[in-house]
Amino acid sequence: MPVIKSPRIIDPLFYEWDRKAQKCGLRHTIYAVNGDQYTGEWLDNLKHGKGTQIWKKTGAIYSGDWKFGKRDGYGSYSIPDPVTKEYKKIYTGWWENDQRGGWGMFFYSNGELYDGEWSDGLRSGLGKMLYKDGSVYEGQWLTDQPNGQGVLRLPNGDRYKGGWKDGKKHGPGKYFYSDKGQLLEGIWVADIPKCGVLVDFGRDNAPAPPEFPLPEIELHNPAGVLAEARAMFDDSHN
């Protein structure tokens, strides 16, 4: 019997082009139409794994983890100095869904530094902020502002420990005046002490104590007065 040969099926050429264009695994530098470039790992045509992205418009560099096309995991973000052109690290830490998320350290252009937790690109959770004037805040944050419980230490030695809301002292707290050697325990509202008890606290070693010590508090139960004030504060904010 004669042998009948079936014609070999040849896929259209664009199938081969498409197969070669699919990015998966480790690839050399890929350039986008706008000039951005990426070197690293891919999965199903998306940046996935370890990789480095350079944005042409700003010169910014991100090097770290990617997940389905977005920065996700641990990585560092740097930008070039406009004068020296040397790269300065802006953020190093964890990312979630292309934004700062988790624990990380952010270096501000004015020299300030935040080391703590992030959520949706904002300071949220526990963190420590070093301000350019020498002040240090350490405590809870929410949507980029001190919120909850925290301690603020000022360059002159004063310190406040207590409640915060929207970046201001708010609620029960204690403020220590280092120059006078006095302690104010009371209730704050939007950075203003509304009521409290002022007592000498290390007055003998203070650099500029008042001429006379504070008189004894003429209250049978000063702690009870503060507790009552706290209760009134809580009721007014519920």
Side-chain angles (χ1 to χ4, degrees):
M1 272 183 80
V3 178
I4 300 175
K5 294 183 178 180
S6 300
R8 186 166 60 91
I9 299 175
I10 301 176
D11 291 332
L13 192 56
F14 68 83
Y15 282 176
E16 179 67 12
W17 292 343
D18 185 63
R19 185 185 64 79
K20 291 182 178 181
Q22 294 298 310
K23 295 182 284 293
C24 190
L26 182 62
R27 296 290 296 269
H28 294 298
T29 302
I30 301 295
Y31 292 87
V33 176
N34 62 3
D36 295 350
Q37 52 183 289
Y38 172 81
T39 305
E41 297 176 302
W42 297 78
L43 179 65
D44 296 333
N45 265 347
L46 296 173
K47 301 162 193 161
H48 191 89
K50 301 289 185 181
T52 299
Q53 166 97 11
I54 302 177
W55 287 266
K56 181 180 180 181
K57 185 176 181 179
T58 62
I61 294 179
Y62 169 80
S63 182
D65 296 324
W66 296 78
K67 186 176 181 180
F68 301 120
K70 296 181 178 181
R71 291 168 291 185
D72 199 297
Y74 191 85
S76 295
Y77 180 80
S78 304
I79 61 173
D81 185 275
V83 178
T84 65
K85 305 304 180 182
E86 294 182 358
Y87 274 91
K88 300 187 303 181
K89 188 174 292 185
I90 298 298
Y91 176 80
T92 181
W94 293 91
W95 300 73
E96 292 178 355
N97 197 30
D98 218 33
Q99 297 192 78
R100 293 183 292 275
W103 199 277
M105 188 177 296
F106 192 95
F107 303 85
Y108 294 84
S109 59
N110 61 1
E112 295 182 344
L113 169 67
Y114 173 79
D115 184 12
E117 294 180 295
W118 299 78
S119 179
D120 294 328
L122 301 176
R123 294 168 290 185
S124 291
L126 293 176
K128 184 177 182 179
M129 184 76 188
L130 281 65
Y131 297 94
K132 62 181 179 180
D133 66 354
S135 302
V136 178
Y137 171 82
E138 189 168 5
Q140 296 174 311
W141 295 75
L142 181 65
T143 58
D144 237 23
Q145 296 284 355
N147 268 277
Q149 294 295 309
V151 177
L152 176 67
R153 296 179 177 85
L154 300 177
N156 63 1
D158 288 5
R159 61 183 180 272
Y160 168 82
K161 180 179 181 181
W164 294 81
K165 183 180 179 182
D166 299 330
K168 296 181 179 180
K169 294 182 282 292
H170 196 85
K174 298 178 180 180
Y175 194 103
F176 173 66
Y177 299 90
S178 62
D179 60 336
K180 294 183 170 64
Q182 293 179 333
L183 177 70
L184 173 62
E185 181 177 1
I187 305 294
W188 272 257
V189 176
D191 255 355
I192 299 174
K194 292 297 184 177
C195 65
V197 176
L198 184 67
V199 297
D200 287 330
F201 191 83
R203 178 178 176 276
D204 294 338
N205 298 320
E211 184 177 357
F212 302 103
L214 290 171
E216 293 292 331
I217 299 174
E218 297 295 333
L219 291 173
H220 296 295
N221 186 13
V225 173
L226 283 175
E228 184 178 349
R230 291 192 186 98
M232 294 173 61
F233 175 84
D234 293 338
D235 291 341
S236 65
H237 287 76
N238 286 335

